[in-house]
């Protein structure tokens, strides 16, 4: 079905509409063989609070952006190649329901659908697209992914030293390896993570020691366990502010 739609006039028109909604600041999305599979609003768990984002699923990429005018205008366009994507379901907890993790080598985050049916449809379609892409390319699924950042609201003190309290002066930082919220003194070191940046990035002392000794997998497994056990913020905080999880801290 996807191959049949690839060169159809209706598909070309739909993709053109998406391009126009992002305006001149967005990247062109129309290429031969690309098909728009579906679209919808998902709640994305960002650094400071959950936020509504418009997502577009194509047969080869996932695109999302900030909602400026519903169905008419979006900005802050993000494009994620599906070949590098793996997804994991998240258990329902409190207000945060119908969620899953979108994991890539450069960036990983949680999203939540409005209903269980929507979640199932999104996950099934994403998995099908990824499977088809890998089948055509002969590549194997990516087993490396960036850490999911712990939201600021989950940490009143440094998650490493357990002593430093966060204030307007003592700012929160994020380790790029484990995703923990840490204080400045616990994250003074930098380490090159090629999948995330061409320059050394901020990591906590704990991860620096593991990376320096080659025990890289231990750090990631600790982060993964902590995500499912940690408290989650309320969806009452949803807003359309700019994404802030890409900040230098």
């Amino acid at each position: 079905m996807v191959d049949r739609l690839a060169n159809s006039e209706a598909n070309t028109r739909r993709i053109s509409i998406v391009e126009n909604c992002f305006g001149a600041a967005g990247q062109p999305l129309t290429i031969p063989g690309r098909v728009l599979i579906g679209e919808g609003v998902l709640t994305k768990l960002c650094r400071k609070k959950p936020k509504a984002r418009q997502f577009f699923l194509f047969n080869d990429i996932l695109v999302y952006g900030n909602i400026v005018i519903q169905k008419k205008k979006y900005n802050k366009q993000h494009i994620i190649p599906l070949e590098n994507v793996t997804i994991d379901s998240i258990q329902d907890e409190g207000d945060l329901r119908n969620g899953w993790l979108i994991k890539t080598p450069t960036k990983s985050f949680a999203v939540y659908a409005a209903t269980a049916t929507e979640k199932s449809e999104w996950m099934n379609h994403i998995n099908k697209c990824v499977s088809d892409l890998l089948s055509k390319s002969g590549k194997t699924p990516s087993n490396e992914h960036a850490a999911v950042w712990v939201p600021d609201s989950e940490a009143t003190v440094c998650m490493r030293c357990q002593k430093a309290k966060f204030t307007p002066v003592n700012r929160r930082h994020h380790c790029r390896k484990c995703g923990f919220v840490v204080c400045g003194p616990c994250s003074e070191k930098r380490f090159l993570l090629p999948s995330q940046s061409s320059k050394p990035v901020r990591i906590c002392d704990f991860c620096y020691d593991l990376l320096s000794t080659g025990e890289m997998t231990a750090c990631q497994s600790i982060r993964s366990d902590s995500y499912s056990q940690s408290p989650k913020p309320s969806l009452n905080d949803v807003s359309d502010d700019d994404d802030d999880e890409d900040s230098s801290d």
Side-chain angles (χ1 to χ4, degrees), residues 182-191 201-205 208:
V182 291
C183 65
C186 284
S187 60
E188 292 179 340
K189 296 182 175 66
R190 300 289 189 275
F191 199 92
V201 293
R202 179 188 295 272
I203 61 173
C204 67
D205 292 347
Y208 182 85

Side-chain angles (χ1 to χ4, degrees), residues 5-59:
L5 290 172
N7 299 312
S8 72
E9 195 173 311
N11 178 64
T12 301
R13 186 168 59 250
R14 290 175 69 200
I15 295 178
S16 178
I17 291 172
V18 176
E19 282 185 342
N20 292 335
C21 286
F22 278 102
Q27 294 185 38
L29 299 172
T30 304
I31 65 169
R34 177 168 289 164
V35 175
L36 178 59
I37 305 295
E39 62 182 272
V41 176
L42 298 173
T43 297
K44 179 175 178 289
L45 199 59
C46 298
R47 174 178 178 177
K48 292 185 178 179
K49 61 182 72 175
K51 301 174 183 178
R53 295 288 180 256
Q54 180 73 27
F55 279 78
F56 300 92
L57 176 63
F58 296 83
N59 60 328

Side-chain angles (χ1 to χ4, degrees), residues 92-139:
D92 290 347
E93 185 175 343
D95 292 332
L96 291 175
R97 308 178 67 82
N98 312 313
W100 67 97
L101 296 178
I102 296 175
K103 302 186 295 185
T104 80
T106 57
K107 184 177 184 178
S108 301
F109 52 90
V111 292
Y112 296 84
T115 67
T117 300
E118 283 187 29
K119 170 185 175 178
S120 177
E121 290 177 349
W122 272 101
M123 292 189 70
N124 288 338
H125 284 309
I126 292 173
N127 276 327
K128 179 67 165 60
C129 290
V130 173
S131 177
D132 288 347
L133 283 171
L134 294 176
S135 177
K136 289 179 180 178
S137 68
K139 296 180 180 179

